[in-house]
DNA sequence: ATGAAAGCGCTAACAT
DNA sequence: ATGTTAGCGCTTTCAT
């Protein structure tokens, strides 16, 4: 292996000068030239581990995600990696899908000097104790998702509440008054914020909240929900879902029950993916900018690392409603159809 | 920071003994106990960068992917990470989507001692020269995808050819004789192997190859292809596509032209995702086990790293045909319908 | 079984 | 502007 000493020898100077040269210090023009020539000639590359050891900085940021095979998560990773790379950082990636560790377990990466910062991207509800532990740890950490209201930690999240309120407005503008809601799993942190948005939105527009059902975020969950909704024989002209697969299943079940979407019932949802975009009818939804979430988290982390910022910040990213074919004007006919 | 010396002091021994103890060397029972107590008491964690410096091993494997926001790729990453983690390795992830570097640029990661091995996962056609350079580099490298027939480098790929042949058989069994083929972009390495599979499969079953069109792998590409296919007024009872989005667009266009799938025309494709699974009709396809591809590449890389295996291996993973609703029996009526 | 000593490749005072 | 020196925290001979 060719080291700094070899370069020094060949350039007839000392290794400290070479080091200085490498790090942009003040070096005489002639010396610099000689050093650069030597570097090229010997094809020298600085040993990154020696640097890390002596500087106690790794230029590595770690990111832990629940399950990266999930389309949404992979976008986050993409965003993080892009920003990190631009800043000369490298990403190491940990998935929790394999080992079911808790997020706090990853704090050991700091103790071993393995990373300069950590992005924790769980969409599960976090327990307060874990958050507190992360907050007091003192190392650069950014949370994506639920921060449990703890203001001592940096976090980035989507404004699930506002996104849902925007969707209520959309339905309200289309003349819908009776809107049912399909809530997601308790374990997922955004379920609650979205429900909040629904309840708040309904109130905001002077509407009485409709039936609220809870189901898992699968196609089957959506189907089940609609079946039980229809069985209740309560009037509704629109159904708000909180997840793409859910709404796809819901639409399926509505059609099976002889209802047309959006003619009889409008359906809107959350998350924009292949299903929402390309199935028939295309689904009105709230798009979360996952890549931007990752990028934002990365920038936030880098600023903590490099500027040792002391102020904690919580960033809420606003999602946007994408209007598609599954939502339409509420019609008298539609109401009747559902009343059966 | 608490170091090995602090432990030695507290345990009243030398740092070499502590090191030995840490690395499973021979240490007296009493000493070991004292050391372990000290470690716990001081909450000691070995400095990973010091270890890496002195051992010149990082236990890091790098993976570079074209674009990780792609669903398929993220599965590969998932597979790699899982296997790596089990072996006590960590993954650093590089995307080529951002900077348009060539794969050979990543060789510098070795020179700086940044990684122990590299998995290169491009689905582009690689140029021979790059492959040769990677092959002669001497560092542990595994290619995913196209290895350009170079036998001096390790690689993992899906058997695109066989997968396509299997699909020809499927159509043949359903009675199809006139089968058109929609080829993918030249730049993507699997396009060619799949086309090969089609041509070979047709020959295998004594069929005359039908029209072969080339299009980009988008929904619009599929639509365009079908329009031009229909314009040619050539008889075909089945269309083989080489990509999920492509086939979805193709089916759309066929229907727009008043043809029923599969009653009039059967459609099959390659790659299994949300579109193939959940759109109407669901699409018969060849599923690539992406997670397994990643896992296999990782295992292969680890064996090179740890056992310094000298023999290069090329692994071909067999994909499986998933039969769905878009392919059905060829009927006389169907043929007529297309002849117009 | 244990300790002393050398050194991995680099950076950063400090002196010149 | 440049060289000398002292580490960073660890592993690994080589003695004992």
């Amino acid at each position: 292996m060719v080291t700094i000493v070899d370069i020094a020898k060949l350039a007839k100077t000392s290794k400290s000068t070479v080091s200085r040269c490498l790090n942009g210090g003040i070096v005489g023009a002639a010396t610099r030239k000689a050093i650069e020539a030597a570097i090229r000639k010997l094809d020298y590359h600085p040993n990154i581990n020696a640097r890390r050891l002596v500087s106690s900085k790794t230029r590595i940021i770690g990111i832990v995600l629940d399950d990266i095979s999930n389309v949404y998560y992979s976008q986050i990773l993409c965003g993080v990696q892009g920003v990190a790379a631009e800043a000369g950082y490298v990403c190491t990636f940990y998935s929790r899908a394999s080992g079911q560790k808790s997020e706090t377990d990853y704090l050991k990466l700091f103790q071993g000097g393995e990373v300069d910062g950590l992005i924790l991207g769980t969409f599960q509800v976090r327990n307060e104790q874990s958050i507190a532990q992360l907050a007091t740890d003192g190392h650069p950490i950014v949370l994506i998702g639920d921060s449990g209201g703890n203001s001592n930690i940096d976090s980035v999240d989507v404004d699930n509440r506002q996104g849902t309120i925007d969707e209520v407005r959309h339905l309200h503008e289309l003349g819908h008054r009776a809107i049912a809601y399909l809530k997601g799993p308790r374990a997922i942190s955004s379920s609650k914020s979205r429900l909040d948005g629904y309840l708040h939105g309904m109130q905001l527009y002077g509407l009485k909240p409709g039936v609220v059902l809870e189901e898992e975020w699968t196609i089957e969950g959506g189907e089940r929900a609609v079946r039980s909704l229809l069985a209740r024989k309560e009037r509704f002209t629109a159904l708000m879902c909180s997840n793409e697969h859910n709404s796809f299943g819901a639409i399926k079940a509505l059609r099976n029950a002889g209802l047309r979407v959006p003619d009889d019932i409008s359906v809107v949802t959350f998350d924009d993916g292949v299903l929402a975009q390309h199935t028939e009818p295309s689904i009105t939804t709230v798009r979360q900018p996952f890549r931007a979430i990752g990028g934002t988290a990365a920038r936030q982390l880098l600023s903590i690392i490099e500027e040792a910022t002391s102020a904690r910040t919580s960033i809420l990213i606003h999602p946007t409603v994408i209007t598609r074919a599954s939502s339409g004007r509420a019609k008298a006919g539609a109401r009747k159809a559902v009343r059966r």
Side-chain angles (χ1 to χ4, degrees), chain A:
Chain A
M1 180 179 228
V2 28
T3 78
I4 214 177
V5 181
D6 301 316
I7 302 299
K9 249 177 225 157
L10 190 60
K12 299 201 194 310
T13 177
S14 76
K15 64 174 186 164
S16 13
T17 304
V18 176
S19 173
R20 235 177 263 122
C21 180
L22 249 24
N23 296 290
I26 305 166
V27 175
T31 328
R32 158 151 278 138
K33 215 161 177 177
I35 290 175
E36 282 167 352
I39 287 176
R40 260 193 310 280
K41 184 163 178 207
L42 268 40
D43 189 32
Y44 165 78
H45 293 263
N47 182 305
I48 201 165
N49 294 310
R51 280 189 165 169
R52 285 175 178 160
L53 172 59
V54 70
S55 68
S56 354
K57 305 232 332 75
T58 60
R59 302 206 133 242
I60 295 178
I61 72 181
I63 168 160
V64 1
L65 255 22
D66 278 333
D67 174 12
I68 213 265
S69 59
N70 179 309
V71 207
Y72 308 133
Y73 289 7
S74 63
Q75 302 262 39
I76 293 181
L77 177 54
C78 212
V80 170
Q81 198 269 335
V83 169
E86 239 167 67
Y89 279 70
V90 145
C91 279
T92 66
F93 161 66
Y94 311 86
S95 171
R96 283 182 54 208
S98 26
Q100 278 305 20
K101 299 181 184 177
S102 107
E103 286 186 321
T104 51
D105 288 343
Y106 292 94
L107 290 177
K108 73 169 193 303
L109 294 177
F110 287 116
Q111 304 172 321
E114 199 157 352
V115 299
D116 290 347
L118 219 41
I119 293 178
L120 266 18
T122 301
F123 282 112
Q124 310 285 107
V125 173
R126 296 179 165 99
N127 75 58
E128 274 183 44
Q129 204 181 324
S130 302
I131 300 179
Q133 189 180 343
L134 295 169
T136 55
D137 178 69
H139 291 289
I141 294 175
V142 171
L143 256 37
I144 293 181
D146 175 34
S147 65
N150 190 318
S151 56
N152 295 314
I153 193 155
D154 288 81
S155 68
V156 178
D157 203 0
V158 167
D159 197 338
N160 288 287
R161 189 167 176 276
Q162 188 58 51
T164 310
I165 291 175
D166 291 347
E167 235 174 10
V168 172
R169 166 161 14 110
H170 168 69
L171 288 175
H172 183 259
E173 282 171 1
L174 288 173
H176 294 275
R177 298 298 176 257
I179 305 175
Y181 189 78
L182 178 45
K183 178 182 180 292
R186 278 154 212 282
I188 298 187
S189 69
S190 55
S191 290
K192 190 174 176 313
S193 340
R194 291 178 196 172
L195 176 62
D196 281 355
Y198 165 72
L199 295 173
H200 186 78
M202 292 299 276
Q203 186 194 316
L204 210 60
Y205 295 102
L207 304 178
K208 203 173 116 255
V211 182
V212 173
L213 274 72
E214 177 171 330
E215 259 299 352
E216 56 178 32
W217 276 349
T218 59
I219 294 177
E220 294 72 30
E223 295 177 307
R224 269 197 301 276
V226 162
R227 279 197 299 268
S228 83
L229 192 57
L230 292 178
R232 298 171 70 136
K233 303 199 192 301
E234 296 213 36
R235 199 181 75 87
F236 67 101
T237 66
L239 171 62
M240 288 189 71
C241 300
S242 49
N243 163 272
E244 196 191 358
H245 283 76
N246 240 199
S247 58
F248 179 71
I251 291 175
K252 236 173 150 174
L254 284 169
R255 290 180 151 191
N256 280 344
L259 294 165
R260 292 164 304 166
V261 177
D263 303 0
D264 297 325
I265 302 280
S266 284
V267 174
V268 300
T269 192
F270 218 99
D271 281 342
D272 191 27
V274 171
L275 282 181
Q277 289 162 226
H278 298 302
T279 56
E280 175 51 40
S282 58
I283 310 175
T284 294
T285 194
V286 176
R287 176 187 292 161
Q288 303 191 57
F290 287 104
R291 208 188 213 97
I293 293 170
T296 304
R299 261 185 291 272
Q300 196 175 357
L301 185 63
L302 290 175
S303 97
I304 304 175
I305 293 173
E306 303 200 324
E307 289 141 43
T309 324
S310 62
R312 302 299 100 209
T313 59
S314 295
I315 300 180
L316 265 189
I317 297 191
H318 301 290
T320 43
V321 175
I322 312 284
T323 307
R324 297 224 179 83
S326 68
S327 58
R329 288 234 139 257
K331 284 173 285 190
R335 293 180 199 162
K336 239 186 253 149
V338 178
R339 195 178 269 140
R340 299 154 136 218

